[in-house]
Amino acid sequence: MVKKGRRGSMTVELACVMSLILLVLIGVLYLCFFVHNRAWLTAASYEAALVGSMEGIKEDGQIYEAARMRSEELGNTGFFGAENLTSQTNAGKQVQVTYDLDTIAGYGNLQWHLRTEGSSKVIRPVKWIRKVKAAAGLLNEMGG
């Protein structure tokens, strides 16, 4: 039998604990969105760098333009709780694509800064194959 003095104690305890549970749940949810945004932008930066490096195969290939256009295409996807997305592209012997993003947390007006970076060496497969064949020819001549 329940005593009269303890009659609503479960309701009060649940009300106190439920606010903490919701706070933790919302924090985990924002963390999941942050991890999703980071994974997406990391993959996007590597893909844009790879597109630029494969453009280097062409004789008149515009390495920088190809990487920049692809990074803008991939960056236009909507991200939850994110703002100030910028992308930066550098091209030379290596193509590098960098994304910067601010993710806003739902409480405390906190901001997480996210920076992802992907790079790929400019690929010139014809020259590489010729070098390998030349090295194999040298080894064959030396008796190896």
Side-chain angles (χ1 to χ4, degrees):
M1 185 171 211
V2 178
K3 293 183 180 180
K4 285 187 177 184
R6 298 235 183 220
R7 225 168 154 172
S9 67
M10 261 317 247
T11 306
V12 173
E13 289 171 7
L14 187 63
C16 292
V17 173
M18 191 53 107
S19 62
L20 291 175
I21 291 172
L22 287 176
L23 186 66
V24 169
L25 186 65
I26 290 172
V28 168
L29 189 64
Y30 273 101
L31 183 63
C32 288
F33 283 120
F34 177 79
V35 170
H36 170 267
N37 292 346
R38 181 179 175 87
W40 175 264
L41 288 176
T42 301
S45 61
Y46 277 107
E47 182 178 335
L50 188 61
V51 166
S53 69
M54 289 189 316
E55 186 73 18
I57 296 171
K58 300 177 183 174
E59 227 176 274
D60 297 328
Q62 301 293 323
I63 297 171
Y64 174 79
E65 281 299 314
R68 186 189 60 77
M69 286 175 48
R70 188 62 181 158
S71 70
E72 287 179 5
E73 285 174 18
L74 293 170
N76 284 335
T77 304
F79 298 105
F80 178 77
E83 58 183 24
N84 302 331
L85 175 67
T86 58
S87 67
Q88 184 179 17
T89 306
N90 297 321
K93 289 185 177 182
Q94 187 170 346
V95 180
Q96 184 175 10
V97 177
T98 306
Y99 285 107
D100 283 308
L101 174 78
D102 291 325
T103 302
I104 299 169
Y107 47 87
N109 203 15
L110 299 172
Q111 286 190 346
W112 291 329
H113 183 76
L114 173 63
R115 181 181 178 96
T116 62
E117 180 174 298
S119 60
S120 178
K121 189 175 177 182
V122 176
I123 302 167
R124 305 216 188 271
V126 174
K127 287 183 181 178
W128 175 253
I129 291 170
R130 287 182 182 156
K131 286 180 183 178
V132 169
K133 285 186 177 180
L138 273 171
L139 285 174
N140 284 338
E141 285 179 11
M142 294 172 63

